[in-house]
Amino acid sequence: MNTTEHYDFWAQARTAHPDLPPEPPEAWAFGATAEQADELLALVLAGIKTATASSLQDYADDGEPLPAVGDLSIVLDGAGAPSAVLEVVGVEVTPFDKVTEEHARAEGEEDRTLASWRRLHEQFWREHSAHGFASDMPVVCESFRVLHAASPRRS
C-alpha cells in the first residue's frame, strides 16, 4: 500500500531520475521486525548489502510474483518511511544448501560467510515462515542496486 509519504518520496526519486515510471512501485521492508528492517537497510545504504534471499514458498503463499530483473521497489525503514529505490539486477532460485558463498557475501550480514548466512537464514525461516525450514527448500536469491536513497533526516 502506497501512502502520501511514498508518493512524495517517489516524486523526489523521479526528479533525480526522470526515467523512472510515473507510478510508485511496491513498498516493503527487509526482515520481519522494525529492528531488522533498520539494520538491513543500513547495510544497503552503506553499499554492503547488495542481495537478499526469500523462501520461494512464501511468494506462493502470498500470491506474489517472483522478482524479475528490472523490477523496482521502495524499501522502507523500520518505522515505515520510504528510504531507497532498488532495482533488481539478478534473480536465481536455488536450494538452500546450494546457495553460494558469493551470494552470502553480497547479503552483507555478520561476517559475510556462507556459514553465518546459513545460520541466520535457517533461524529466520524457522521463526517467520509458515513452512519453516528445510535444507533443500527453494530460495529466491535476488541481487539489486540502489537507484535512489532518501536524504538523511535532520533531528
Side-chain angles (χ1 to χ4, degrees):
M1 174 174 102
N2 288 321
T3 66
T4 300
E5 188 176 17
H6 297 163
Y7 282 100
D8 291 346
F9 175 75
W10 190 247
Q12 293 167 6
R14 289 193 70 226
T15 297
H17 307 277
D19 55 326
L20 292 174
E23 286 298 310
E26 176 186 4
W28 54 274
F30 285 103
T33 66
E35 181 180 75
Q36 288 174 346
D38 286 340
E39 288 173 3
L40 297 173
L41 176 62
L43 293 173
V44 168
L45 296 176
I48 297 168
K49 181 174 182 62
T50 60
T52 194
S54 306
S55 163
L56 178 65
Q57 190 60 49
D58 288 346
Y59 279 99
D61 288 353
D62 295 340
E64 302 254 343
L66 291 181
V69 171
D71 284 354
L72 301 172
S73 59
I74 296 173
V75 177
L76 309 173
D77 67 13
S83 301
V85 176
L86 302 184
E87 178 183 23
V88 176
V89 297
V91 179
E92 180 182 352
V93 178
T94 190
F96 177 88
D97 57 2
K98 302 291 186 206
V99 170
T100 66
E101 184 84 41
E102 178 182 59
H103 181 82
R105 181 164 183 71
E107 285 215 32
E109 297 173 59
E110 284 192 354
D111 65 3
R112 302 176 75 181
T113 64
L114 184 56
S116 67
W117 182 92
R118 286 182 174 157
R119 181 180 45 75
L120 288 169
H121 285 78
E122 178 178 345
Q123 178 182 353
F124 180 86
W125 286 315
R126 286 188 187 282
E127 293 175 4
H128 301 288
S129 177
H131 295 275
F133 169 78
S135 64
D136 62 349
M137 65 185 273
V139 175
V140 180
C141 295
E142 178 181 346
S143 55
F144 55 80
R145 68 182 181 125
V146 176
L147 285 182
H148 180 77
S151 301
R153 296 178 185 206
R154 297 181 184 194
S155 318

